Each structure stands twice: as C-alpha cells, then as structure tokens.
Amino acid sequence: EADIYQTPRYLVIGTGKKITLECSQTMGHDKMYWYQQDPGMELHLIHYSYGVNSTEKGDLSSESTVSRIRTEHFPLTLESARPSHTSQYLCASSEFGYGYTFGSGTRLTVV
Amino acid sequence: AQSVAQPEDQVNVAEGNPLTVKCTYSVSGNPYLFWYVQYPNRGLQFLLKYITGDNLVKGSYGFEAEFNKSQTSFHLKKPSALVSDSALYFCAVRDKAPKGYGGSQGNLIFGKGTKLSVKP
C-alpha cells in the first residue's frame, strides 16, 4: 500500500561511519520531510523540502544533511555517525494542502 | 504559534468498551486538524482530518473525531475498541504557511502521542 519507501529498515553501524538513509516516493509529491522519533514516541521535524533544490531545516537541530535533486528522492546523510544519532528516522511526503504519507522508517543504531 | 497537546501519555481500555484519545489545539485562524496512528515498527498512517464542515469527522478503521471549537478540542473516538487498535496515536495541526504560500501549505505540528492499550 505504501508509495513511499525507506531503506534500510534497520541499520547497526559503528561510530564515525558515514551513512545515507534513503527515501523515495512514487506519488509525485512536492513536499517531503524527515522526522526523528524518540524512544518515548515524540516526533521531531529535522528537515523538509518544498521541491527540487529546496531544503530547509526543521524545528530540531540535526547534524544530518539532506538533498533534493529529484522530486521522488530525498536522502538523509550523516557524515560521521555517533551513538547520540541512535533513533528512528521517518520520511514523509505530501501534496500541498493535504495530509502526509509516511514511510515505514529506518531504525538506526550507532555502536 | 500553532500547537496541539495530548494530555494523556497512555490510555487503557477493555475490548468492546468505547475509547477516547484526547487532543486540544491552539491556533490563530481556522484549524486544520489530523489524527494519525502508528503500529509497532511502522510509519504513521492517516486516520482522519478536519478542515471545515461537520464537526463529527469519520475516518478509517471505525474511528471518528469530534471538532469542538469552544473547547478547542479534537478528541478521537471509537464506539467499541478492538485489541488490534492498540497503537500510538498522534494528533496534528497544520502550521502557518511560510511567506508566499497559501494557508493550506504549512507543515504539520504533531502532538507527543498517546499510547492506546486495549486489553481482551
């Protein structure tokens, strides 16, 4: 049913490694988002994009970066992973004026 | 600033009983309100939304929500809970749009979430 895909679903990686979390959607949505979700449930917006070549930082400061070269693709990169980056990362997309469609998430563990 | 509050971290209900998950909001202007559900190890799924019109909004899986302007609330309800309804529930409100964009184009602001547990 999901038209937004996140890979990998689970990732365990060592400190200092560079990682890229992939997010792709097939719905042609202009807006895309990355959220970080605490173990205690709360969602924090870390990045969003209004379209190709548009990226903005969200409410929660993050050491990650994003890019939007194609409408359907919105990858998130951590240049040097740390244990404090351990979290679940959720990607979402939307048409202007409508609700969000979420991917299944990537659960990242940095050891 | 626009905001939503979910006053309960957890709600416990017996199967077959009615359930309510509470949400209050604070907005300037007309609110655009949403409910999402998250099952374990999954992303959020859309349940229902209120933009305008009837105060009682019907959504997926038998859920409904009542918009109450005087109490600034948008509580999620279901007449008869199922064990399979156990999940995290998030209320959200649309933020003000950035300059140059229409009112429907702000980002969603999510509440902290409420864990619903339905026991057999």
Side-chain angles (χ1 to χ4, degrees), chain B residues 3-8 20-26 33-35 65-68 71-76 89-93 109-111 114:
Chain B
S3 67
V4 289
Q6 294 182 243
E8 302 155 317
T20 298
V21 182
K22 295 180 180 177
C23 173
T24 58
Y25 65 89
S26 174
L33 296 160
F34 301 78
W35 274 103
E66 186 170 10
F67 172 70
N68 188 316
Q71 297 185 5
T72 62
S73 67
F74 189 56
H75 300 333
L76 182 70
Y89 290 81
F90 291 91
C91 182
V93 66
I109 298 171
F110 288 89
T114 299

Side-chain angles (χ1 to χ4, degrees), chain A residues 50-89:
Chain A
Y50 282 163
V52 171
N53 295 325
S54 153
T55 60
E56 303 287 346
K57 290 192 179 294
D59 306 318
L60 180 69
S61 176
S62 173
E63 293 166 346
S64 59
T65 59
V66 292
S67 62
R68 190 90 183 274
I69 298 171
R70 304 196 316 265
T71 297
E72 63 270 22
H73 195 214
F74 192 43
L76 180 146
T77 298
L78 276 166
E79 290 292 333
S80 179
R82 294 208 300 267
S84 61
H85 297 139
T86 294
S87 190
Q88 169 147 271
Y89 293 84

Side-chain angles (χ1 to χ4, degrees), chain B residues 4-83:
Chain B
V4 289
Q6 294 182 243
E8 302 155 317
D9 289 338
Q10 179 150 349
V11 171
N12 298 313
V13 177
E15 188 174 32
N17 283 1
L19 70 86
T20 298
V21 182
K22 295 180 180 177
C23 173
T24 58
Y25 65 89
S26 174
V27 301
S28 55
N30 295 322
Y32 293 68
L33 296 160
F34 301 78
W35 274 103
Y36 285 81
V37 60
Q38 185 180 30
Y39 297 102
N41 298 315
R42 303 298 301 274
L44 278 67
Q45 296 178 31
F46 171 79
L47 275 179
L48 50 82
K49 66 180 178 182
Y50 173 83
I51 305 297
T52 186
D54 289 341
N55 290 341
L56 186 63
V57 180
K58 293 192 182 296
S60 306
Y61 311 121
F63 284 93
E64 57 191 27
E66 186 170 10
F67 172 70
N68 188 316
K69 189 172 183 178
S70 63
Q71 297 185 5
T72 62
S73 67
F74 189 56
H75 300 333
L76 182 70
K77 301 182 179 186
K78 188 173 183 181
S80 178
L82 300 172
V83 172

Side-chain angles (χ1 to χ4, degrees), chain A residues 92-104:
Chain A
S93 70
S94 73
E95 291 270 24
F96 282 117
Y98 289 86
Y100 292 6
T101 301
F102 280 85
S104 295

